[in-house]
Amino acid sequence: MTQANNLGHGITLEAMLNALVAHYGWEELGRRIAIRCFLVDPNIKSSLTFLRSTPWAREKVETLYAKYARSQPKPTA
């Protein structure tokens, strides 16, 4: 896969998480990715701490972000 096709290239984990929370909300995000940091007293800081130290959870967030990003309308020039 080239970087041009990688929807997460150049996007920080924090930006991904903020976009997902803005789009889905914590409740729906916790339903889609059932991890404790999304289900119990969720916040960006503690979620980032967990995701940065847990590769499998980070991968799930990156996968959901890629699906979300593909579903967004393409910007027009």
Side-chain angles (χ1 to χ4, degrees):
M1 177 187 299
T2 65
Q3 291 301 328
N5 293 331
N6 182 351
L7 295 173
H9 181 69
I11 307 292
T12 65
L13 182 59
E14 183 174 7
M16 287 182 200
L17 186 56
N18 280 320
L20 292 173
V21 170
H23 183 73
Y24 295 112
W26 286 111
E27 187 175 328
E28 179 63 17
L29 189 56
R31 193 181 71 68
R32 290 174 180 257
I33 305 173
I35 53 179
R36 193 175 199 287
C37 67
F38 294 164
L39 298 169
V40 178
D41 195 24
N43 65 68
I44 296 292
K45 184 178 177 183
S46 66
S47 295
L48 286 172
T49 300
F50 177 76
L51 293 170
R52 287 178 179 140
S53 65
T54 314
W56 64 264
R58 181 181 182 136
E59 185 176 324
K60 287 181 180 272
V61 168
E62 290 171 345
T63 300
L64 182 59
Y65 179 79
K67 289 178 186 176
Y68 156 76
R70 277 193 296 271
S71 73
Q72 297 305 297
K74 302 283 186 249
T76 56

